[in-house]
Every structure is written in structure tokens, then in C-alpha cells.
Amino acid sequence: MKREMTKEDKELAEAGYEHLSQQKAHGQKDGKAEMDKVDIHEHQLTLDALQTELDTAFDPKDAGRSSGLSTDEAQARLSRDGPNVLTPPKKKSALRKYWDCLMTMFNILLMIAGVLEYILLGVDYKDNFPNTYLGGILIGVAFLNALIEFYQLQKSEAILASFLAMIPPSSRVVRDGTLTTVPAADLVKGDIVLVRSGDKTPADLIVFAASDLKVDNSSLTGESEPQERLARPEGVQSRPVEAENLLFNSTLVVNGEGWGGEYYYAVSLVVRTGDHTLIGQIAALTGNETGKKSPLAVEIGRFVMMVSAIAIVFAVVFFVVGITTVYKGKGEQTVTFAVSILVAFVPEGLPSVVTLLLSIAAKRMAAQNVLVKDLQGVETLGTRVLSCSLTLLATDKTGTLTRNQMTVTNIWSGLRMFTAFQSNNDSETTESFAIDAPGMREIVDIAALNSHVKFDRTDLPFDQRKILGDATETGLIRFAGKHIPDYDAYQGQHPKVFEIPFNSSNKWALVILEKQHRDGILTAYIKGAPERVLAKCSTYLKGGKAVPITDEFKVQYDEAYDYMASRGHRVIACAQKLLPGSIYDTAYEFSKTDANYPSTEYCFCGLVSLEDPPKHGVREAIGTLRLAGIKVMMVTGDHPKTAEAIARKINLILGETKETLSKKTGRSVDEIYEDEVDAVVIHGDDIDALQGWQWDQIFAKNEIVFARTSPQHKLEIVKRAQALGHIVGVTGDGVNDSPALKKADLGIAMNISGSDVSKEAANMILLDDNFASTVKGVAEGRQIFVNLKRSIQYTISHSTPEVIPQLLYVVVPIPLPLSAILILVIDLGFELFVALSFAWDKPETKDGLMRMAPRKPVNDRSINSLKKRALRRTKTLRRDPETHEVVRPSRFAQLVTQAKAPFTRQFWEDALEQSEAETLVDAKLLSYAYLEAGVIEMIGALVAYFVVFFKNGFTPGDLRRAQVALNDSPPTTYFTKSSPDFTNSRGEVIPAWKQVDALGQAQSIVYLSVFIIQCFNVFAVKAKFRFPFGKSIVGNYYNFAGIIAGACLGMFIIYTPPLHVVFGGSFHLSPLYWLIPVAFGVLLLVWSSVRVLLMRKSIEQGRVKDIKGLMMFPTMRTMSMRSRH
């Protein structure tokens, strides 16, 4: 990129992002009146009265001593009160769903056509009697089509409901004195429940012990900011929705976690379950189903409207041509022809095919441990996101890319480096850890006492317990526990007096506890991000004494920090302050609301590094995604050095950043141009100040890492990427990831380690927590898109051989080659069977789809186009002269602008602008279906049609002469049972019965020609990377099952005499005539092979080029392996 940017460049760069700054928070949701009517009073009771009313017992001062309900008592209450589940929201009735399926454009056209046939029957019953069957069949087909689609929708919903049942919500509850996990549905009144950050509240709860507990009530009350919840022993005399001691069912805990020691708790009591909770009582909040359409539904809808419009125009135009020329005055024949045109254009089975394809895909993805939460998600998966569209994947590090299993590796204290883990990669000056070494006891104390973890059981030896807490604290506690003889007793000796838990804003945790020293009885311990902790320190610990921090110390601190972080380790700083008893005694009231706690003059104790190795398969997964043209970037709260080191281990960063190039070349960072490097590491502190053009520079890189980010930063990154046209996926497992997960085009959460909040916000859940499953999802999603496209391409290929013969019936004219009923048999008979079989198609080549660029790539061209449009919109917006805020135009003004748009030059420039994006139904698909395969099928069908007639005594000229006789005076009608004899051009006389049989044979061979050539087309549509032969093309046995089913149907209709009354046809048709369409089917395969050769160059250009330096071998556990940079 250029060193200097002009004003115009910067203005253009900013245009694409301006709408982000214009977004304003919407007002709170309505519903206050309903909330005033709810019947909840428990929040007003004292804790003693609450115990009496609920017949339970708990200890507000030490929740760990509460025994909770017995298992038998809980079971009895569950039987009495019922399960803790909400009555499902009112959904559309089955009849309403069926009605919606029936009222689609295709079905409406069919029903209108059927009604027209019955109107003709009323006008002239005798001449139009054969149309009795046609009208009934057309209307019946519309209802049958709706029934098939309705059935598939019901089936899909059942499948997805069964998927969600695989991850039932659970709760941590105290029963029989033991903390255990039970299904949330089994909670009863009086249960003692532990909630922590990331949980979804399982019922209405009264908090009786908590600190720094915050909940997100936005889904319930519309409050955008998290609300603090406190224990109120005397109750709260206010409305339930304003009660500070009440947690509502289905709200999300965004801060506060676990319980520990004697002070910090997030413990609550179940007071309402199921429909008796606040959300259960407010029916308006549960709402009904929304009618939001998925991207696939929108794209299919456009295609349906386009085809329907073309069908109507063709039908009307040729109806007018027919009734004013060849069939003058013959309204019934031209109407029947118009109906045939409508039926020929409309692919009646398409909606059912699409629904079933997605249902099958959803089941297959669940088998790959990729769970899509709803049908819209499956459709999004298939056409917009995980298919060929996902262009950027932003992923969290801890627990997503790494194992979330922290191990303490190094400690730096008193200017000395110690190793706590045996490694051959440490420097020679690194000493082995010893608890009696200077500063080590303080590090162990901070790790053990400044912690929020809890154990599942306390009656087991320390090393056999399961630790409940985040990975960092778990690693620290495991380390500290090895060097404390009796961990539980040690905790009891030093009770907590005050605490500020870690959060993503502060990035540190503080605890003040009773730990005696020379000057007093209170000690403050702080741990967290090194830069934040060091800023609070004025001295450091050396040889057991506090020494003033000097520049020399800071230099060595930076070297130690770099040494740890460059190995990919998470680095935690520890500090202490021995509080003087003259100021801080046991009666001192600490408070975080007015910052009444010691926040400066700490003594820096040291740095602790913990290694969290990458998960197995992550390296190959990221390499595969990058080769698929998907940009993968890391967004983490870790230090930039740590993040970069991990990124280099897992294929996320391969090239140079400005900093690494500066070290190699000796040039300063400012002297290095943007186009010299392909990787960038951005510190979270710099994000807020970034301008539009700087965001452009960042996203232009192929390798991006954002470090030290907050949840707000993650959200901002997603918004900025989307503003450039990226289809963004976000993976994460923590509550801090949830805003970005919700905003992303595709939010991907972890099932096992993921919080309830993250799973609530995500569209998709990885059941096995394996990041590599994302690759399976991408591959499966791309195959979904390809299969859908093949199915549509195959389905509409028969339109040309159905429509063109109908037009010849009017223009030439010739006897009707294919009746409307036979067209319906094609569309809803064998076509439906075969079109569905594409759902089981496998990839054409092993890595073909996973080496193609996304179908909507984001590049300089697409970004510039997007920004120019945004800049035009920006310059045409009306603004308030005083506030400069955008004044939104009225609805009428918007309609007027839309009406004028097609008459402007800019509209057509935008509409005709070339795009590299691939849509589900694009020009290539339509060209193949209508102009290539369709024309071959049409010619094959017409050749067979004329050959059969010729063998029965009719030349093409004879056929035209017979049809034109309708305009004679008086008119003569041939090819009916009551027709007069016809004398052909050779002087042969053909009686009526032979005319009827000849027409039946001709229509039969046209029907069979379409079927036979379409059988070859099944394999022709698959040929993209390879010729239409080989196992990958013919390996789908369901294709052959569909062909056999279609063949049985065709034989049954053509060669069963009783059915000729309805469908026409003739059992006299010789199988030798089948060879004609077979020959054209072979021709179609030849053309498909030629097409592969012609398109090979463009396909190769669409392939993602090899990436130099990718390490496509398994990720090994390389403890303490230092990055080469």
C-alpha cells in the first residue's frame, strides 16, 4: 500500500465504515405493564422467612456448609410441581403451515391453470371433456406438492429438535451436601444452585451469597447494560423486575463465577420453576414464530418469481399469437397450450427437493459433530456462510485453538528465572524451582489464595480432585497445591475480607485477606496482565525485600516477559501489598464502587508463565482453511507476543510482521512499508484509535492477530470486517466471545467447554470441541451448495424440451408433442426421485472444493465497489444542520426514490457491474440448463418425435398440413377418434385410429426421450473438475435408484392401456426408438466433457494458490518450544 494516502483515498476508505458510527441503541422493549402483573413475591422475604416458606435450609455466611435438599425430597417436589420447563411458545398450526406451503407462486400458477380448464369445461363441455382430468390433476398436483413440502418441513424440524436434545441444559446444585450437576429440568423449589459467569440462569433464583455478580437482562427487560445482583438478607420491597436479589429464568450471567473461601459466592435459591417464573408468566415475551426468511429462501424466491414471470409472459404472448393466427377462434386449444407452457416452465418439485436436501445435510453434519441449531441455520450453512461464502474466520485462542489445559512452566522473580517444568529448551541461566528460593513462597501464596476455583469434592486427596474453574486458575492451583501440605486448612487460615474478581476490562484480580505480617494482619494480593499489574507497583521483591523499581529492572522485566511470551506461554504477573494495621484493620470497610481499596504502591513479586499447547489437528485445520481461501485470524485477550508465538505454531502466521522484519534488517518499524509484510499483530489498546484506512490496511493482510482484546473489541472487529463485505465466522467458548458470536454471520461455539452464554449466541455448535470439525463443516457446507446447484441445474434442464415443442405447436403448427399431464409426470415423477438423489453426492475430487476460493470473494475490486456505493450514499444523505445526525427519509420518499432508480444511469451501472460472486442460480447454470443440455434434449426429443411420426406415415409437412386444417372452412380436426381419414404426401390414407395411435406413440417417445437424456444428464451436471466418468461421478447409488424408479414409472404410464385415457401414450411404441434419445444422451456426455476442457482454465484460476511454508503435519505437544522469531 502507498506510504501516503490522499484525502480522497481516506474519504473513500472511511465511507465503508460510516454506518457503524451511525448505529444507535434502540429503545427498551415494551412489556412493563405485563411485568407489573406477574405473581412473584419471594424477593420481598427475609432469608429466614424464605427458608420457612420453601422448607429448606442454607447458610448465607458459608454456602459451602449448606446441605441442600435430599435426593428423595427433590424427587418428591419434582413429582408434585412438575419439571422445570417452559411451555413451548405458540407455533403455527399444522394447517397454517400447510397453507403457507400451498400459497407459493408455483402452486398458485398450477391452481389457476386448473381452474381455467374447468372454466373451459363450463363453456363447452363436449369439446373440452378431456380437460376434466387435466384440471383436476393440476389442482391435485398443487395440493400434493404443498403436502410433500409440508411433510419435509415437519421432518426437518423434528430432526433439528432431536439435535438440540443432544445438549440439554444442566445446573450445578447442592443435594445431600454434595455439589452435583443435574438437568435443569429437574430443579425444584428450595434447591441451592451455584451460578457463575457464562451460565444461563435455569430458574427464578434468590441470591443469598454473591459478589460482583452481573446478569444480562436485555432479552427480558431491554436493559443494554449488565445489571448487578446482590444478596439482600432483609429482602427488597420493589417490583420483581427491579429486585437486586432476583435472577430471572433464561437470563445470562456475564460476570461472577464459582464460589470460594468465605466471602466470594454466587449462590442462589430456586424460588420459581417452569411456567411460574417471570418469563413463564409473561406470554408476550415468549412470542410466536418469526417469519424471517433465510438467504437460501430469498435466493430461491427470486428464482421462482423470475421463472414464474417468464412463464406467464410466454403463455400470454403465445396464447395471443395462437388465437389470432393458426388457432383462430379455438379458445380451448390455445388455453390448453398456455397451461402447458406454464406447467413446462415451472419446476414443481423444487421446493420439496431443497427442503429434503437440507434435512439430509443437517443429519450428515450432526454425524460430523457439527450441530446447526435451526433450519434457517442449515439453509444459511448451505448457501451463505459455510458453503462457498465464508471469507473470514475470527477465532479465540484459549480453549478453541489450544487445549485449555494450563501448566506452570516458568517463574521470574527477583531478576532470576526458574523452571517449574522439566524442559531441554530453557536457557543455561534458568534455575530449577525450589519453594525456599526467594520470592517463591509469595508466588505460591498468590496462586493459592487469590483464586475462585472450587472442587467437586473435598473428601479426596488434593491431586485426585476435579477443579471447577477456568484453565489459568486451574493451572495455578495445581501448581500451588503441590507445595502446600494441607490446601483446605491453608485456605481456612486466611479468610478473604474483600475481593474484586478478574474481568475482561480490568484484566486483574484483587483479594484482601487475613494474613498477618510485621505491620498488620491484612495482606492484598493482585494478579493479572503484567502491564496492568506492573503499573500498580512501585517496588519489586528481591531477596525477600522490597526494592524500588528502576530502569534496569524494567529492561530485565521486558527481557523475561519476551522470553516467556515468545514461547507461546500465557504470562501472569503477581504482586502484593502488606497493608499497615494503623490504616487497615479488620473493621475497615473496603468498597469497589467508590474505589475504596488499595490500588497503588504494590510490590511486584514476579511473572508466572503457563503453557496451553495447541489442540491436535488445529495446525492442519487452519492450513486447510487457508488453502480454501478463507482468511483465519486470531482474536485473543493474551499478550501480543504469546498470541504471535502460538499463531506461528499453527499455520496462522507464516510471514514477517513489521517488528520481526525490523529485527532482521536492522531498520526501524516506521521505515518498513505496508506492502513489505503480509502479517500484522494488533494490540487491543490501539483498536479504538484506528481510522478507516488503517482498518483497510489490516484486513488487506493475509495473516492477522488481534491481542489484548476486550469483548467490545471483538465485536468491533467483526463489524469492520463485515463492512468490507466479508462473510464472517467467529469461534469461541467464553462469555467474552458472545457479542461477537451473535453479530457474526456464523457464530460457532464449543459444546463441552463452551459457556451457556456462548452457546446461546451461536448459530452452530461443535459437539466435540474440536476446531478441526470446522473444516468438516466447511467441506460439508460447500458440498451442500454444490449438490443444491446440481439438483436445480438438473431439474430445470428439461424446461427447454418441454417448452420449445409447445411453441412449435403454435408457430409451425404441429400436433402437440407433449401434453400438460405428461409434463407434470416428468416434473413430479422421475424428476423428483432423481433430483433428491443428489443429496448423497460426494465430492467430485478429494480436495477440489476445498481448494476453490469462496464463492463471494473479498478483494480490492469488491471492496472498492462497495466503498464507492457507500460513499455515494453518504453524500446523498440529509443531515440535521445543528446535530449533523442523519435524517431518515420517510417511507413515501423511499418508495419514490426506488421508483426513480431504474431510470438513472447509476442504477444500471451497478446492476450490470461484473462481479466475481457466484450465486445459487447464476448465468452459467442457466446457460447449461436452457441453452446447452436443454437444447440437446429438445433436439433429441423432436428428432424422435418426427421419426416416430414418419414411420407411421406422417412427414413434417403432413403434420403441418393436418394442424393447419383447423382453419379450413369448415374446420377439420385430425388425431382424434372421430377424425376423418388423412391422405399423406405419398397418397396413403391413414384412418382415425392410426392417427390417434401415431400421436400417442409420438408423445410417448418425447416423454421417454426427456427421461432417457435426463438419465445421462444426472452425470453430466456433475462434471466440473473431471470428465463425467469414474467412481466419483457414478459412485452415488441413489442416482441409480432414482433412475430405476423413474424408468418403472415411465414404463407403467406408457405401456399400460387403461392409463392412456388420462395420460395418452401407446403400448405399440417400439423400444428400438429409445436408441435415438440414447444417442443424444451420449452426445450430452461428450459435450459435458468438452465443457470441462473449456472451463478448465477458469477453474484453475479460481483455485487458491499453494501457500509457502504451511506445515500440514500433526500438532505435537512441544512444551516450552521457543518461537524462532
Side-chain angles (χ1 to χ4, degrees):
M1 187 171 282
K2 294 173 289 187
R3 171 64 66 174
E4 298 294 335
M5 297 185 69
T6 65
K7 180 182 178 181
E8 290 75 14
D9 290 334
K10 292 186 177 182
E11 187 180 48
L12 182 62
E14 202 65 47
Y17 301 115
E18 189 175 46
H19 67 285
L20 298 179
S21 61
Q22 295 171 1
Q23 293 175 350
K24 302 292 181 182
H26 294 289
Q28 294 184 356
K29 296 180 181 179
D30 296 330
K32 291 185 179 180
E34 289 87 344
M35 291 184 185
D36 288 334
K37 299 175 184 177
V38 296
D39 175 26
I40 294 178
H41 66 279
E42 288 82 0
H43 63 287
Q44 300 175 346
L45 303 178
T46 65
L47 293 182
D48 292 336
L50 202 58
Q51 293 185 62
T52 302
E53 178 166 318
L54 297 178
D55 191 18
T56 189
F58 52 85
D59 187 347
K61 295 182 180 179
D62 188 355
R65 296 180 181 176
S66 302
S67 60
L69 300 175
S70 67
T71 303
D72 293 339
E73 176 62 21
Q75 189 61 44
R77 295 189 183 192
L78 183 64
S79 301
R80 181 191 69 194
D81 299 332
N84 174 38
V85 293
L86 295 172
T87 301
K90 186 178 179 182
K91 296 184 177 182
K92 291 180 181 178
S93 66
L95 185 62
R96 174 59 190 275
K97 289 180 181 179
Y98 179 75
W99 175 260
D100 290 342
C101 294
L102 183 63
M103 289 294 105
T104 60
M105 180 58 73
F106 284 169
N107 291 335
I108 290 172
L109 288 177
L110 290 175
M111 288 187 288
I112 291 173
V115 169
L116 283 175
E117 293 296 335
Y118 278 112
I119 291 174
L120 287 176
L121 194 65
V123 174
D124 189 344
Y125 182 82
K126 183 178 179 181
D127 289 343
N128 294 295
F129 179 76
N131 294 336
T132 306
Y133 301 109
L134 178 57
I137 289 174
L138 287 170
I139 295 173
V141 163
F143 279 85
L144 177 64
N145 197 32
L147 181 64
I148 295 172
E149 185 178 1
F150 168 74
Y151 171 74
Q152 291 302 335
L153 283 173
Q154 294 288 88
K155 190 175 178 182
S156 299
E157 290 178 5
I159 290 171
L160 293 165
S162 70
F163 291 164
L164 293 179
M166 296 165 66
I167 47 171
S170 59
S171 302
R172 290 172 294 277
V173 60
V174 178
R175 287 186 182 168
D176 298 318
T178 303
L179 181 64
T180 184
T181 300
V182 301
D186 292 346
L187 288 181
V188 296
K189 285 185 180 182
D191 264 332
I192 297 173
V193 174
L194 167 67
V195 293
R196 59 186 180 186
S197 179
D199 285 351
K200 184 177 181 181
T201 311
D204 280 1
L205 311 174
I206 292 293
V207 179
F208 66 84
S211 175
D212 206 31
L213 181 67
K214 293 183 179 180
V215 293
D216 178 6
N217 285 344
S218 59
S219 62
L220 197 64
T221 64
E223 295 164 306
S224 58
E225 293 298 321
Q227 304 297 303
E228 187 171 15
R229 289 295 178 260
L230 309 166
R232 289 286 184 254
E234 300 304 318
V236 177
Q237 304 304 314
S238 65
R239 298 164 61 229
V241 73
E242 296 171 348
E244 294 178 329
N245 61 342
L246 188 56
L247 301 181
F248 299 117
N249 186 13
S250 299
T251 56
L252 304 173
V253 181
V254 297
N255 201 53
E257 55 186 26
W259 76 50
E262 292 185 328
Y263 180 84
Y264 181 73
Y265 302 94
V267 193
S268 45
L269 186 71
V270 177
V271 294
R272 292 293 176 110
T273 59
D275 289 337
H276 300 289
T277 60
L278 179 76
I279 196 170
Q281 294 184 50
I282 304 173
L285 291 177
T286 57
N288 295 328
E289 292 180 312
T290 62
K292 185 180 178 182
K293 287 189 175 183
S294 68
L296 175 63
V298 172
E299 201 161 342
I300 291 291
R302 286 179 185 153
F303 172 65
V304 167
M305 293 303 295
M306 179 187 73
V307 171
S308 300
I310 294 172
I312 292 171
V313 169
F314 265 77
V316 170
V317 169
F318 282 92
F319 171 81
V320 172
V321 171
I323 204 167
T324 56
T325 55
V326 181
Y327 302 103
K328 195 170 186 178
K330 300 288 183 178
E332 67 279 1
Q333 289 177 306
T334 46
V335 167
T336 301
F337 153 75
V339 168
S340 299
I341 287 287
L342 286 176
V343 173
F345 261 112
V346 173
E348 290 82 6
L350 183 61
S352 304
V353 168
V354 170
T355 305
L356 183 59
L357 281 170
L358 291 171
S359 302
I360 294 169
K363 290 182 71 174
R364 202 160 57 220
M365 295 196 71
Q368 300 272 9
N369 291 315
V370 179
L371 173 66
V372 182
K373 287 169 62 177
D374 53 27
L375 186 61
Q376 181 174 325
V378 179
E379 295 179 353
T380 301
L381 187 68
T383 60
R384 182 182 173 202
V385 181
L386 272 191
S387 64
C388 308
S389 282
L390 188 67
T391 59
L392 188 147
L393 182 64
T395 176
D396 183 36
K397 180 181 76 68
T398 306
T400 303
L401 300 176
T402 59
R403 302 177 195 176
N404 211 16
Q405 298 171 358
M406 294 285 189
T407 303
V408 174
T409 53
N410 291 94
I411 299 170
W412 183 76
S413 180
L415 307 182
R416 296 161 64 187
M417 182 68 71
F418 298 86
T419 178
F421 184 91
Q422 187 174 1
S423 172
N424 297 324
N425 299 294
D426 284 310
S427 64
E428 294 179 358
T429 58
T430 302
E431 306 174 39
S432 295
F433 173 84
I435 190 64
D436 55 355
M440 294 303 101
R441 172 54 64 184
E442 287 80 1
I443 295 290
V444 169
D445 283 350
I446 294 172
L449 299 176
N450 188 357
S451 174
H452 303 146
V453 301
K454 183 168 178 61
F455 305 101
D456 60 338
R457 298 177 64 180
T458 56
D459 57 342
L460 294 175
F462 181 85
D463 59 352
Q464 296 179 22
R465 300 177 186 178
K466 179 181 179 182
I467 300 177
L468 307 176
D470 68 55
T472 303
E473 294 212 330
T474 298
L476 291 171
I477 288 296
R478 284 285 181 214
F479 166 73
K482 294 177 183 178
H483 306 286
I484 297 176
D486 189 340
Y487 180 85
D488 296 326
Y490 196 67
Q491 286 273 346
Q493 291 172 14
H494 306 294
K496 293 179 182 178
V497 175
F498 175 76
E499 183 173 29
I500 298 178
F502 180 90
N503 62 58
S504 55
S505 299
N506 291 337
K507 295 190 183 298
W508 50 260
L510 168 70
V511 64
I512 298 173
L513 41 80
E514 293 182 12
K515 192 170 187 297
Q516 196 160 3
H517 52 88
R518 186 176 57 186
D519 297 329
I521 61 171
L522 298 182
T523 300
Y525 286 148
I526 189 170
K527 70 177 182 184
E531 61 270 25
R532 299 289 180 92
V533 173
L534 184 63
K536 296 180 179 294
C537 298
S538 58
T539 61
Y540 71 97
L541 196 64
K542 184 178 182 182
K545 297 180 180 179
V547 179
I549 290 177
T550 62
D551 291 340
E552 181 185 354
F553 167 82
K554 290 182 179 180
V555 170
Q556 294 198 43
Y557 161 88
D558 288 337
E559 290 177 356
Y561 196 170
D562 183 67
Y563 174 83
M564 292 174 164
S566 63
R567 297 152 69 110
H569 297 179
R570 173 169 288 182
V571 185
I572 303 294
C574 301
Q576 67 176 11
K577 184 170 186 177
L578 307 179
L579 302 182
S582 58
I583 301 175
Y584 302 100
D585 56 18
T586 53
Y588 189 90
E589 292 188 6
F590 297 96
S591 171
K592 63 178 178 292
T593 54
D594 53 4
N596 189 24
Y597 58 86
S599 59
T600 59
E601 302 298 322
Y602 278 80
C603 178
F604 189 86
C605 295
L607 298 173
V608 181
S609 71
L610 301 97
E611 182 172 32
D612 185 12
K615 289 180 178 178
H616 288 302
V618 163
R619 175 186 290 160
E620 306 97 288
I622 290 178
T624 303
L625 290 173
R626 292 189 63 183
L627 288 173
I630 297 170
K631 187 177 293 187
V632 184
M633 67 181 185
M634 183 192 294
V635 184
T636 179
D638 260 336
H639 188 271
K641 290 283 186 183
T642 302
E644 182 181 348
I646 290 292
R648 291 191 181 279
K649 291 180 181 180
I650 58 175
N651 279 332
L652 210 147
I653 290 184
L654 301 173
E656 302 288 352
T657 63
K658 282 188 174 183
E659 291 73 19
T660 59
L661 187 60
S662 173
K663 286 183 180 179
K664 280 188 175 183
T665 61
R667 298 153 60 196
S668 69
V669 172
D670 293 336
E671 292 176 351
I672 297 173
Y673 287 80
E674 287 293 335
D675 54 9
E676 290 184 73
V677 295
D678 203 33
V680 63
V681 180
I682 305 297
H683 196 291
D685 292 345
D686 301 328
I687 290 178
D688 293 331
L690 291 176
Q691 298 180 24
W693 61 273
Q694 292 171 312
W695 281 105
D696 285 357
Q697 286 183 338
I698 291 170
F699 286 117
K701 307 295 184 194
N702 288 322
E703 300 166 347
I704 308 170
V705 170
F706 289 95
R708 283 286 188 253
T709 57
S710 67
Q712 291 73 24
H713 290 150
K714 293 184 179 183
L715 181 61
E716 181 71 10
I717 291 164
V718 172
K719 289 180 178 179
R720 294 282 177 169
Q722 289 173 328
L724 292 178
H726 280 288
I727 302 298
V728 181
V730 172
T731 63
D733 61 349
V735 63
N736 59 326
D737 300 314
S738 58
L741 286 169
K742 193 169 185 179
K743 177 63 179 174
D745 298 284
L746 183 74
I748 307 170
M750 304 293 153
N751 177 42
I752 301 170
S753 63
S755 65
D756 290 344
V757 180
S758 64
K759 286 187 266 190
E760 181 84 7
N763 311 104
M764 195 175 84
I765 298 172
L766 302 183
L767 296 177
D768 58 355
D769 278 22
N770 187 357
F771 181 81
S773 295
T774 307
V775 176
K776 297 177 184 176
V778 171
E780 192 64 53
R782 290 191 172 193
Q783 192 61 43
I784 291 170
F785 179 79
V786 169
N787 290 351
L788 274 172
K789 196 157 188 172
R790 286 175 180 173
S791 185
I792 294 172
Q793 191 169 330
Y794 169 83
T795 301
I796 64 176
S797 291
H798 61 66
S799 293
T800 302
E802 289 174 354
V803 171
I804 299 300
Q806 302 291 329
L807 301 183
L808 296 179
Y809 167 72
V810 171
V811 175
V812 175
I814 57 175
L816 189 63
L818 201 60
S819 66
I821 293 178
L822 284 177
I823 291 174
L824 287 176
V825 173
I826 292 173
D827 293 359
L828 293 173
F830 71 81
E831 288 287 284
L832 193 58
F833 294 128
V834 179
L836 292 177
S837 70
F838 284 103
W840 289 275
D841 268 3
K842 293 182 179 179
E844 190 177 347
T845 61
K846 185 177 180 180
D847 64 347
L849 289 177
M850 293 302 288
R851 288 301 306 270
M852 300 301 294
R855 70 183 184 99
K856 293 184 178 178
V858 177
N859 48 36
D860 290 343
R861 179 177 175 178
S862 67
I863 291 174
N864 283 332
S865 174
L866 201 66
K867 285 181 174 293
K868 285 177 181 177
R869 296 186 188 192
L871 186 60
R872 286 201 304 269
R873 287 195 304 269
T874 302
K875 292 183 175 181
T876 56
L877 290 175
R878 287 180 57 232
R879 296 181 181 274
D880 187 283
E882 295 181 0
T883 64
H884 297 287
E885 290 185 359
V886 174
V887 178
R888 297 292 177 189
S890 65
R891 180 65 180 164
F892 177 75
Q894 291 179 19
L895 291 174
V896 170
T897 303
Q898 291 173 3
K900 290 180 178 179
F903 301 99
T904 62
R905 176 183 174 184
Q906 197 63 57
F907 174 86
W908 291 105
E909 285 184 357
D910 290 343
L912 298 176
E913 184 179 16
Q914 288 188 347
S915 172
E916 297 177 30
E918 180 185 2
T919 56
L920 188 63
V921 181
D922 56 14
K924 288 182 180 178
L925 183 147
L926 295 175
S927 171
Y928 176 87
Y930 289 129
L931 302 180
E932 298 168 35
V935 169
I936 291 174
E937 289 185 26
M938 179 266 294
I939 295 173
L942 287 177
V943 167
Y945 169 86
F946 286 118
V947 167
V948 167
F949 261 126
F950 185 80
K951 287 294 184 179
N952 281 277
F954 293 90
T955 64
D958 293 334
L959 294 175
R960 185 179 186 283
R961 186 158 51 85
Q963 258 337 76
V964 171
L966 286 169
N967 287 330
D968 292 348
S969 185
T972 304
T973 303
Y974 292 103
F975 302 106
T976 65
K977 292 180 180 179
S978 58
S979 297
D981 294 343
F982 178 82
T983 303
N984 64 18
S985 57
R986 291 172 287 187
E988 299 170 352
V989 176
I990 304 173
W993 69 267
K994 194 169 183 181
Q995 296 174 33
V996 172
D997 186 64
L999 179 61
Q1001 289 187 47
Q1003 290 185 337
S1004 297
I1005 195 58
V1006 171
Y1007 168 82
L1008 288 176
S1009 294
V1010 174
F1011 165 69
I1012 291 170
I1013 303 176
Q1014 280 287 79
C1015 290
F1016 288 88
N1017 194 30
V1018 170
F1019 309 106
V1021 294
K1022 299 181 186 183
K1024 182 176 181 180
F1025 302 105
R1026 294 182 177 177
F1027 298 122
F1029 316 104
K1031 187 176 180 180
S1032 60
I1033 301 293
V1034 300
N1036 182 358
Y1037 301 117
Y1038 289 98
N1039 288 154
F1040 293 99
I1043 289 171
I1044 292 171
C1048 292
L1049 178 66
M1051 297 304 102
F1052 180 65
I1053 288 174
I1054 300 302
Y1055 292 100
T1056 305
L1059 296 181
H1060 297 166
V1061 177
V1062 178
F1063 299 103
S1066 172
F1067 62 88
H1068 294 123
L1069 181 68
S1070 171
L1072 289 174
Y1073 292 121
W1074 301 356
L1075 295 175
I1076 298 173
V1078 167
F1080 279 89
V1082 172
L1083 176 62
L1084 179 59
L1085 291 180
V1086 171
W1087 168 247
S1088 180
S1089 301
V1090 172
R1091 196 169 182 266
V1092 169
L1093 293 174
L1094 294 175
M1095 295 179 62
R1096 181 165 288 175
K1097 186 176 180 180
S1098 63
I1099 291 175
E1100 282 299 322
Q1101 289 174 346
R1103 283 175 61 90
V1104 178
K1105 295 181 176 63
D1106 291 334
I1107 300 173
K1108 186 179 180 181
L1110 276 184
M1111 299 174 285
M1112 300 302 287
F1113 49 86
T1115 310
M1116 304 299 292
R1117 183 179 177 85
T1118 53
M1119 291 291 290
S1120 302
M1121 287 295 292
R1122 191 171 185 183
S1123 168
R1124 65 179 183 273
H1125 293 278

